[in-house]
């Protein structure tokens, strides 16, 4: 009942009925004029035929086969002139005019009524199908509202606007599902990020608190011991600053809030400058850092962010590999550009290779590297992915590690 009420109270259906009724009234009115015109034509021909018959020889039926005869009509008009009857007599005065007009009107009216009934029936059936499809779409939309994580697919068998509506809702459903999935990922990332971040903060905060408590009893400390404690506090503060900066970077990268300045630049020059800039770190660790001569290769990249991504990987090799040599080179193929970082250090166990790009993770347990917070490799992975690239890691324990960054050419 509710569906029928919605159907007959629908503005579209009401408009269809009103439009059809107006057209029907206009058609019936036109039918009245048409029947009058046709009746006059028929009666006029009837008068001509009767006058031809009355003025001619009844044995001669030539006018029946060949049409009216003007000579016979003229003869009949002379004969009936005293009665005022001629060929110009008004058809309305003829006895069967009304019957003829009624018959013609009935035939036309029945034909027009039949046509309009067919239009009405097919129109109602078509609109009922449309309303049924819309009602189904409404029900499916209610399902989406009640369970936004449910996969819904709406189908419409016709190719009209209802189908277009269904397709549009399908797109909205897909967008809602993607948004929901993305929100879940973001929530999961935020939960893990906050957990890992709070865990990383505990150690430096505890060290600072402990050293601060020791410094409170300064009368019991020697000057040398005080300097050591202050140096340790400063070191932990530097670590906290690095942790905050790096954590903010990874958060921005995951939130896609960074605007990259992609321009065609010389990646060979970038790697050469990068090696030169990291030479002091290599010298401090007694490592030979070298850049293998490579041809100038151009590709589109953001100079600041890609420099940081490659720099993090090189620094990882310098600080955690126990290598004696680290080399950087650039090569190019028709479809890709590769940046290769190799070292001859301890290598990475195969089962730990997937973990090196996770947040707050380092390949080595070397605690002497106090400025590492284990986010650099995760940052590099994010930046390189945005640059349409990927990182391949080849490592064998005792022989070293090879990082191959491959950028696909656009």
């Amino acid at each position: 009942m509710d569906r029928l009420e919605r159907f007959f109270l629908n503005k579209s259906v009401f408009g269809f009925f009103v439009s059809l009724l107006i057209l029907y009234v206009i058609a019936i009115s036109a039918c009245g004029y048409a029947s009058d015109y046709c009746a006059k034509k028929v009666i006029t021909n009837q008068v001509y035929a009767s006058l031809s018959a009355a003025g001619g020889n009844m044995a001669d039926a030539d006018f029946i086969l060949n049409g009216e005869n003007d000579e016979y009509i003229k003869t009949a008009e002379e004969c009936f002139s005293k009665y005022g009857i001629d060929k110009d007599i008004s058809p309305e005065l003829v006895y069967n005019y009304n019957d003829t007009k009624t018959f013609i009107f009935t035939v036309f009216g029945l034909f027009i009524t039949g046509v309009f009934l067919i239009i009405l029936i097919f129109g109602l059936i078509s609109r009922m199908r449309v309303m049924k499809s819309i009602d189904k779409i409404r029900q499916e939309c209610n399902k989406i509202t009640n369970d936004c994580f449910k996969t819904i697919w709406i189908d419409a068998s016709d190719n009209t606007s209802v189908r277009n509506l269904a397709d549009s809702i399908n797109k909205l459903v897909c967008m809602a599902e993607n948004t929901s999935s993305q929100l879940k990922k973001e929530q999961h990332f935020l939960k893990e990020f906050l957990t890992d971040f709070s865990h990383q903060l505990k150690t430096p905060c505890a060290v600072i608190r402990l050293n601060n408590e020791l410094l409170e009893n300064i009368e019991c400390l020697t000057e040398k011991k005080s300097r050591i404690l202050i140096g340790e506090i400063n070191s932990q503060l530097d670590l906290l600053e690095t942790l905050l900066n790096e954590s903010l970077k990874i958060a921005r990268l995951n939130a896609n809030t960074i605007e990259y300045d992609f321009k065609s630049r010389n990646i060979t020059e970038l790697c050469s400058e990068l090696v030169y800039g990291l030479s002091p770190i290599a010298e401090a660790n007694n490592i030979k850092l070298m850049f293998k001569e490579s041809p100038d290769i151009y590709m589109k990249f953001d100079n600041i962010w890609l420099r940081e991504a490659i720099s993090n990987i090189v620094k990882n090799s310098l600080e955690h590999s126990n290598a004696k040599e680290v080399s950087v080179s650039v090569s190019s193929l028709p479809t890709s550009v590769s940046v290769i970082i190799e070292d001859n250090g301890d290598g990475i166990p195969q089962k730990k290779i997937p973990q090196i790009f996770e947040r707050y993770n380092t390949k080595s347990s070397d605690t002497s590297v106090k400025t590492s917070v284990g986010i650099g490799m995760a940052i590099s992975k994010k930046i390189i992915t945005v640059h349409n690239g990927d990182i391949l890691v080849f490592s064998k324990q005792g022989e070293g590690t090879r990082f191959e960054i491959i950028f696909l050419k656009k």
Side-chain angles (χ1 to χ4, degrees):
M1 187 66 183
D2 182 54
R3 183 180 297 177
L4 289 175
E5 288 179 359
R6 289 201 309 273
F7 177 78
F8 287 107
L9 293 177
N10 185 276
K11 290 183 179 180
S12 173
V13 176
F14 180 75
F16 172 72
F17 271 114
V18 172
S19 300
L20 197 62
L21 181 61
I22 292 173
L23 289 175
Y24 181 73
V25 171
I26 293 173
I28 290 297
S29 300
C31 177
Y33 287 108
S35 61
D36 181 68
Y37 175 79
C38 292
K40 288 179 179 179
K41 276 290 188 182
V42 170
I43 296 302
T44 299
N45 290 333
Q46 178 184 326
V47 169
Y48 286 177
S50 298
L51 290 174
S52 295
N57 184 357
M58 296 301 295
D60 182 8
D62 181 63
F63 66 90
I64 296 178
L65 300 177
N66 298 320
E68 60 190 52
N69 189 305
D70 292 335
E71 184 179 343
Y72 292 168
I73 291 175
K74 186 175 181 181
T75 301
E77 284 179 333
E78 292 175 355
C79 180
F80 297 132
S81 60
K82 60 182 177 179
Y83 302 105
I85 297 175
D86 57 23
K87 66 178 181 179
D88 295 325
I89 188 173
S90 176
E92 287 89 342
L93 298 177
V94 180
Y95 73 97
N96 64 337
Y97 168 76
N98 288 329
D99 291 340
T100 303
K101 180 179 178 180
T102 301
F103 175 78
I104 295 173
F105 179 80
T106 301
V107 172
F108 282 179
L110 288 174
F111 176 77
I112 291 173
T113 302
V115 171
F116 273 81
L117 283 175
I118 293 173
I119 294 174
L120 177 63
I121 292 171
F122 277 97
L124 290 177
I125 292 174
S126 175
R127 277 160 177 75
M128 287 180 69
R129 287 177 178 174
V130 171
M131 293 298 294
K132 185 177 179 181
S133 299
I134 292 176
D135 192 57
K136 182 180 178 182
I137 291 174
R138 182 182 63 82
Q139 294 174 3
E140 297 298 324
C141 289
N142 289 336
K143 290 180 183 179
I144 299 171
T145 304
N146 297 330
D147 186 3
C148 60
F149 301 108
K150 180 179 178 62
T151 301
I152 303 281
W153 187 256
I154 303 168
D155 185 26
S157 57
D158 60 336
N159 293 318
T160 60
S161 56
V162 177
R163 178 59 185 240
N164 296 333
L165 174 63
D167 290 340
S168 298
I169 294 178
N170 283 333
K171 292 177 182 178
L172 288 175
V173 171
C174 291
M175 290 175 64
E177 290 175 356
N178 291 335
T179 302
S180 174
S181 176
Q182 189 64 31
L183 285 174
K184 280 186 175 181
K185 291 180 181 178
E186 294 297 332
Q187 289 173 351
H188 181 70
F189 165 77
L190 183 60
K191 181 180 178 181
E192 285 191 343
F193 177 79
L194 292 176
T195 301
D196 294 341
F197 184 68
S198 61
H199 177 73
Q200 292 295 318
L201 284 175
K202 288 179 181 178
T203 301
C205 287
V207 172
I208 292 172
R209 182 182 295 276
L210 178 60
N211 290 338
N212 188 57
E213 289 175 356
L214 292 173
L215 284 173
E216 286 179 354
N217 300 319
I218 193 167
E219 65 276 1
C220 301
L221 299 174
T222 63
E223 184 179 350
K224 181 179 179 181
K225 184 65 175 177
S226 298
R227 286 199 301 270
I228 292 174
L229 292 176
I230 292 172
E232 182 63 26
I233 290 174
N234 289 331
S235 176
Q236 293 301 319
L237 287 173
D238 290 340
L239 181 60
L240 277 175
E241 184 180 6
T242 303
L243 176 63
L244 289 171
N245 290 333
E246 297 298 292
S247 297
L248 287 174
K249 283 180 185 177
I250 194 69
R252 289 178 63 197
L253 286 167
N254 278 280
N256 295 321
T257 59
I258 296 173
E259 294 184 2
Y260 295 93
D261 181 23
F262 287 103
K263 290 183 180 179
S264 182
R265 296 182 171 94
N266 189 342
I267 192 170
T268 305
E269 182 179 346
L270 180 143
C271 292
S272 176
E273 293 174 354
L274 185 149
V275 168
Y276 179 79
L278 293 176
S279 295
I281 298 177
E283 292 175 2
N285 288 277
N286 295 318
I287 298 174
K288 182 181 179 182
L289 176 62
M290 55 185 170
F291 176 72
K292 294 182 178 179
E293 289 298 326
S294 306
D296 289 338
I297 298 172
Y298 288 84
M299 59 174 278
K300 286 188 176 181
F301 62 88
D302 183 287
N303 186 61
I304 296 174
W305 285 101
L306 189 59
R307 181 186 297 271
E308 177 164 351
I310 300 174
S311 177
N312 287 341
I313 298 174
V314 177
K315 283 194 289 185
N316 183 79
S317 296
L318 294 174
E319 295 175 347
H320 300 288
S321 67
N322 293 322
K324 297 298 180 183
E325 291 185 359
V326 175
S327 66
V328 180
S329 61
V330 183
S331 63
S332 177
L333 292 174
T335 58
S336 64
V337 174
S338 297
V339 177
I340 301 163
I341 299 103
E342 293 182 282
D343 66 64
N344 60 355
D346 296 338
I348 309 171
Q350 291 299 313
K351 63 180 181 179
K352 291 187 177 181
I353 289 178
Q355 301 173 8
I356 64 178
F357 297 108
E358 295 178 359
R359 296 187 309 275
Y360 306 109
N361 178 77
T362 55
K363 176 179 75 70
S364 172
S365 59
D366 184 4
T367 58
S368 65
V369 183
K370 298 182 180 180
T371 58
S372 176
V373 293
I375 306 180
M377 297 297 282
I379 290 175
S380 296
K381 179 72 173 177
K382 288 286 183 181
I383 296 171
I384 289 169
T385 300
V386 171
H387 283 76
N388 200 33
D390 197 7
I391 307 175
L392 303 180
V393 183
F394 306 93
S395 185
K396 190 172 182 180
Q397 287 185 277
E399 296 185 8
T401 303
R402 171 189 173 96
F403 291 91
E404 187 167 345
I405 308 170
I406 301 176
F407 301 97
L408 295 178
K409 292 181 178 178
K410 295 182 181 180

